Amino acid sequence: MLQPSTLFTEEIRIYQEHILNYGYCPFCNRNLAQGENVYAGERADGYISVACESCKDMISTYVKKIVYHPKEYDVPNRNVPLWRYQDFPKFVSLLDCGELFFTRADKFEDVFEGARGFNFQKEAIYDKLKPSLTLKVKSQLRAAGIENPTDDEVDKKLIEETEALLETQWKKRKEYFVSCWHANERESEAMWKLYITAKKQGIAIQTTMERLCYSIGKSGFEVGKVKYISYDVPLESDAEPIWYKRTAFSHENEVRAIFREVGNCLEGMSVRMDLNMLIERVYISPSAPSWFAELVKRVMNKYGLNKPVEYSRLDEKPIY
Ligand SMILES: [Zn+2]
């Protein structure tokens, strides 16, 4: 078991542990229930942990009480290897700044980021929203002194409210900042091809779910598995679209770290990371010349990053 980075504040460390144990108490292994209190603090041996109400004595200092709300995404196991394939300049930038770039959700190539369904399902989406919006519209009309509104009056206001809600949801994509990782036990030829264009040299950072959580220098983040769906029916009105993607992207097997920040007009956010915690291994892209591997090692050395550098297994010669 790793110890969370001491580079960051106690609040961040507690948050990191909370995410890793999301959904259950690590002492009694019991699944948590909606609205239940969870306590986070230091155990007697100095490790940070969370505990349920009946196990809270296992924590010597309660630093934070958190109310548990189940998430709609799954939290990966703490040992799941996570990969990020990138070109060399991006890797050097990560080492130089010690910051990981989180892209604003509306800036991704995939226009379905934050989408509830297809445009042709608009009617079905309206129908799903109708019951709750009708109640809202009627109370608005009553507040405006219209006690018994006609159907036309309700319908007109309903259309306005629906359009306004869809507009808000569209804008909400600008409030999410995302870092994408590929979950896989081993390196992936498809990912090298996707992220490192032919004849260029690149690397893959390999971390784990636990390392990723412990290295993020910010509280309030969430890390979870993306759900791949067909969108044959649009998402329910209470679903968070940021955790869903089309099945055509399922090869990405994505785990994403997300922050939400309202009113930030930047196209992305750089977040301080503990790189020694984050990076477990660095892999050199297939067919890269040996001088490139040496360069990667020298640069890592310059930045004090003492981690194993592995050659891609895809370069190994076969035996017949
Ligand atoms: Zn417990």
Side-chain angles (χ1 to χ4, degrees):
M1 189 177 166
L2 291 168
Q3 181 135 34
S5 173
T6 49
L7 282 183
F8 305 127
T9 64
E10 201 70 346
E11 185 180 345
I12 291 172
R13 293 173 65 209
I14 282 166
Y15 203 86
Q16 291 164 335
E17 196 59 42
H18 175 57
I19 284 290
L20 282 164
N21 290 311
Y22 215 88
Y24 72 98
C25 165
F27 293 104
C28 64
N29 278 323
R30 185 177 58 76
N31 286 333
L32 301 168
Q34 160 88 33
E36 188 175 338
N37 289 333
V38 181
Y39 299 84
E42 230 174 59
R43 297 189 329 204
D45 60 6
Y47 280 95
I48 296 283
S49 189
V50 292
C52 73
E53 186 77 48
S54 34
C55 300
K56 70 179 179 190
D57 289 345
M58 305 298 284
I59 291 173
S60 47
T61 41
Y62 311 147
V63 186
K64 203 166 179 167
K65 187 164 107 176
I66 304 159
V67 178
Y68 174 71
H69 293 291
K71 297 287 177 189
E72 58 185 302
Y73 56 81
D74 297 324
V75 176
N77 180 292
R78 57 167 75 214
N79 299 319
V80 167
L82 300 176
W83 302 72
R84 206 174 154 84
Y85 293 77
Q86 57 188 191
D87 58 31
F88 190 56
K90 277 196 183 142
F91 180 57
V92 175
S93 167
L94 174 74
L95 298 186
D96 193 43
C97 308
E99 291 175 341
L100 186 66
F101 189 73
F102 283 66
T103 307
R104 206 174 74 190
D106 64 315
K107 293 290 165 190
F108 282 114
E109 220 172 281
D110 178 12
V111 292
F112 266 67
E113 284 285 353
R116 305 202 150 256
F118 294 100
N119 190 46
F120 65 76
Q121 293 164 328
K122 214 171 174 178
E123 292 297 320
I125 293 172
Y126 275 36
D127 286 346
K128 275 184 196 274
L129 297 170
K130 206 170 176 179
S132 61
L133 283 182
T134 306
L135 291 175
K136 187 181 170 192
V137 161
K138 282 188 175 164
S139 83
Q140 279 176 346
L141 288 170
R142 264 199 303 279
I146 306 167
E147 209 44 59
N148 293 307
T150 63
D151 286 352
D152 276 358
E153 281 172 321
V154 173
D155 282 350
K156 188 168 165 264
K157 193 90 179 103
L158 203 53
I159 290 169
E160 280 171 26
E161 282 297 319
T162 311
E163 294 291 348
L165 184 64
L166 292 187
E167 169 88 8
T168 309
Q169 286 174 348
W170 183 74
K171 281 189 185 151
K172 216 172 163 187
R173 298 156 70 233
K174 292 182 194 271
E175 296 170 4
Y176 288 101
F177 295 86
V178 186
S179 172
C180 308
W181 294 78
H182 169 67
N184 201 331
E185 286 299 325
R186 314 215 168 266
E187 64 173 319
S188 152
E189 200 256 357
M191 289 292 136
W192 283 123
K193 275 203 175 136
L194 202 58
Y195 289 99
I196 315 295
T197 41
K199 298 220 163 68
K200 288 230 173 110
Q201 287 91 38
I203 60 99
I205 295 167
Q206 186 254 302
T207 184
T208 59
M209 172 65 185
E210 182 175 41
R211 285 179 176 275
L212 176 64
C213 286
Y214 283 170
S215 59
I216 299 176
K218 194 177 187 334
S219 60
F221 66 87
E222 297 181 79
V223 184
K225 290 183 195 173
V226 167
K227 282 188 179 163
Y228 296 97
I229 57 164
S230 64
Y231 292 96
D232 285 342
V233 282
L235 289 177
E236 290 302 322
S237 51
D238 60 348
E240 278 188 274
I242 199 72
W243 294 103
Y244 295 85
K245 280 178 110 166
R246 284 172 289 174
T247 41
F249 292 84
S250 60
H251 61 279
E252 290 178 351
N253 206 16
E254 186 181 328
V255 168
R256 43 178 46 183
I258 295 185
F259 298 104
R260 195 164 165 218
E261 211 155 283
V262 182
N264 190 333
C265 49
L266 300 168
E267 296 197 351
M269 254 168 60
S270 293
V271 173
R272 210 178 136 221
M273 303 293 285
D274 178 348
L275 295 183
N276 262 302
M277 175 63 76
L278 175 71
I279 299 171
E280 186 163 55
R281 278 190 183 76
V282 172
Y283 284 76
I284 306 288
S285 57
S287 324
S290 56
W291 64 260
F292 176 68
E294 289 310 312
L295 176 65
V296 170
K297 285 180 198 168
R298 277 206 307 280
V299 169
M300 284 170 62
N301 208 15
K302 265 197 178 137
Y303 286 100
L305 190 70
N306 186 23
K307 300 286 169 162
V309 175
E310 312 267 351
Y311 289 89
S312 168
R313 269 280 168 116
L314 293 163
D315 278 347
E316 292 291 336
K317 288 187 177 61
I319 182 166
Y320 302 102

